[in-house]
Amino acid sequence: MPSVSDALSGPEYPSAATIDDFVRNIASVRACIAAAAERSGRDASEIRLLPVSKTVAEDRVRLAVEAGCRELGENKVQEAKRKHGNLADLDVRWSVIGHLQTNKARDVAAFAAEFQALDSLRVAEVLDRRLQALGRSLDVYVQVNTSAEESKYGLEPADVPAFLAALPRYTALRVRGFMTLALFTTDTPRVRECFRALRTVRDRARDADPDLIGPGELSMGMSGDYEVAIEEGADCVRLGQAIFGARTTANDLYWPTPTKE
Ligand SMILES: *Cc1c(COP(=O)(O)O)cnc(C)c1O
């Protein structure tokens, strides 16, 4: 079973090269999700598993889809757009889960079903304008920085209320809830603090004005820490390596340099 420490120390993420491998990896992840849900008195069927296919070649992505993946998360817009185009024959819902610059927002508006890293009104505005023109809408999660100085992406918790208050004017965006990345550390209590912080942001926002947060879901937890995230209330876990196998690209291509301790 993958753990936070595995995530930093060269984990046993079995790679998947056949449909059967994917079926096996997905089943073992589902079993861990079920166990974590059970421990925390939750219903596992309410927890969404978002497979993250970044860096994975398209032929292997096809196998994952044949094994049952109906939605896929990608961190980088270029890669997501390419895969969306080349895999257009598949019935897949694409979720962009990485930081977005305004010049890429048009692309996201065109092909994505969901954007999980909304943290600027400039991006919200460009997305909305483009979506309106296309007659589309987009599910969004507001990304929150729950690890303070460790991350450069995401809103500070204190800035969330004003941000939420400004979003309703962008009517093509449908707020689903909040997303965060926890600290990269083997120190589970500190990881847990990040997830709790996101839950607190959600609970406060809900108390202040439930209409601004849609279903108020929490997208938190990755291959190394999703069980802790579920214990802290995750509604969506984003799993790459636990499904596709260990990634060789450095994580700091996608995030600021992880803390090693
Ligand atoms: C890559 C990525 C994940 C999944 O990470 P794994 O370690 O492969 O599970 C989750 N969320 C975001 C934002 C990512 O970029």
Side-chain angles (χ1 to χ4, degrees):
M1 177 190 326
S3 68
V4 169
S5 57
D6 288 339
L8 293 177
S9 62
E12 295 307 307
Y13 292 127
S15 85
T18 65
I19 296 176
D20 284 350
D21 290 345
F22 279 107
V23 169
R24 180 203 61 210
N25 285 358
I26 293 165
S28 86
V29 160
R30 293 250 183 235
C32 293
I33 290 174
E38 167 103 51
R39 278 198 299 282
S40 38
R42 304 187 57 203
D43 182 348
S45 69
E46 290 168 4
I47 298 166
R48 171 181 162 210
L49 166 60
L50 175 61
V52 176
S53 52
K54 72 186 188 209
T55 77
V56 177
E58 286 159 11
D59 53 345
R60 287 213 302 136
V61 174
R62 281 187 182 275
L63 297 178
V65 172
E66 284 188 57
C69 297
R70 287 289 168 267
E71 51 178 356
L72 294 168
E74 287 283 341
N75 187 296
K76 295 203 183 287
V77 177
Q78 285 306 108
E79 182 177 352
K81 190 182 167 192
R82 167 174 59 79
K83 287 177 178 170
H84 170 267
N86 292 342
L87 302 173
D89 56 307
L90 303 178
D91 182 18
V92 170
R93 192 175 178 270
W94 293 91
S95 176
V96 173
I97 60 175
H99 182 75
L100 186 59
Q101 279 158 347
T102 46
N103 61 354
K104 299 273 170 58
R106 291 173 62 94
D107 286 337
V108 170
F111 74 83
E114 176 177 277
F115 174 49
Q116 289 211 355
L118 184 63
D119 65 358
S120 107
L121 290 178
R122 285 269 300 121
V123 168
E125 188 184 331
V126 177
L127 278 173
D128 183 66
R129 200 184 314 132
R130 191 66 193 146
L131 287 160
Q132 302 284 0
L134 294 168
R136 300 189 77 221
S137 58
L138 184 70
D139 288 345
V140 296
Y141 288 70
V142 174
Q143 183 172 357
V144 181
N145 179 359
T146 54
S147 55
E149 73 285 358
E150 312 279 350
S151 168
K152 57 183 174 180
Y153 297 138
L155 294 169
E156 293 307 315
D159 296 334
V160 169
F163 188 81
L164 290 172
L167 284 184
R169 79 176 73 120
Y170 307 115
T171 53
L173 304 181
R174 289 188 304 231
V175 179
R176 300 286 313 173
F178 303 91
M179 181 274 239
T180 201
L181 293 165
L183 274 177
F184 287 88
T185 171
T186 53
D187 186 346
T188 304
R190 292 182 66 203
V191 171
R192 194 179 290 280
E193 275 313 307
C194 296
F195 296 143
R196 284 192 179 156
L198 193 69
R199 192 175 68 209
T200 300
V201 164
R202 189 269 315 272
D203 291 350
R204 288 192 178 146
R206 186 179 272 163
D207 287 347
D209 187 348
D211 293 342
L212 297 179
I213 62 169
E217 290 166 4
L218 302 177
S219 173
M220 55 189 196
M222 315 185 349
S223 295
D225 58 18
Y226 68 98
E227 291 158 287
V228 179
I230 289 168
E231 288 167 10
E232 296 304 329
D235 299 292
C236 171
V237 292
R238 311 177 305 267
L239 304 187
Q241 300 181 84
I243 291 174
F244 290 92
R247 220 175 14 251
T248 49
T249 28
N251 267 339
D252 49 12
L253 248 172
Y254 298 95
W255 311 289
T257 311
T259 20
K260 300 234 171 59
E261 45 197 322

